[in-house]
Amino acid sequence: MMVACVAVLAAAACSDQQGGVAGPTGADEASPWVRPPQIDGVTRDGGVLVLRGGAGPNARVVLRAPDAAAVATTADGAGRFELRLPPLSGDVRFTPEVQVGEDAAVSPETLVVIQGGAGPVVLIAAGQPTVRLDGGDGLDAVDSDGATLMASGRTNGAAPSVNINGADMSPTAIGRGRWRAVIGQSGPATITVNGKRFDYPGAGAAESFVVERAGAGWRITWPVDPAGRQTAWLPD
């Protein structure tokens, strides 16, 4: 039976377009002349988080946070950059952007560092699966908009075996070496990936940005335009 895609996550899953996603509430539109940065990895150097990613050649990459000083670096001639974060405490949100002269391009993704880096480090975006920068093969995140569940993770090349509440899923490759599986359900769920069981505790009820422990993992809830919210659960 064909099911119409009506929810935020379902609409994203039905779309073949991978770029141009809507950003978190309040994000500015990216400039058509400047490529926004894309963070694609994180490592730990002692107590310091080192982010790496791509942007335009020699672009000025800036991370801005509501309650912390901006952090910046310059990409090399190939557009690659590394950015060392200062010591952090608590849960910090960064908005990645590129500045070239007076022009700027804001990423549709928000970088979230949980517990100063002691917890997960992720990229969130409205209607898209959460990208776990510190994850491994298997289940990285479960996103929900209250009507749809989207499980996602990394793959070593082979399609993972995914089961949600007894239903065998057919994961879809989505780039960045990642997969996703979408089901039109809400509420707590039992998810099995390559034989490993995860007990998803359900979506959060907060109306504002909240990071909290939920079951055996972390849960992020954030508002999404025009009047919705999205939750990402990150298993331990």
Side-chain angles (χ1 to χ4, degrees), residues 30-34 60 97-105:
S31 163
W33 304 108
V34 182
R60 186 69 170 167
E97 66 178 52
V98 156
Q99 291 183 329
V100 178
E102 295 183 357
D103 205 358

Side-chain angles (χ1 to χ4, degrees), residues 198-222:
F198 300 87
D199 293 318
Y200 170 64
E207 299 294 336
S208 58
F209 181 87
V210 172
V211 178
E212 60 189 341
R213 289 291 297 176
W218 291 91
R219 184 168 59 199
I220 307 172
T221 304
W222 70 97

Side-chain angles (χ1 to χ4, degrees), residues 137 154-161 171 177 179 194:
D137 292 343
R154 300 185 190 184
T155 176
N156 58 9
S161 171
W179 59 268
N194 292 335

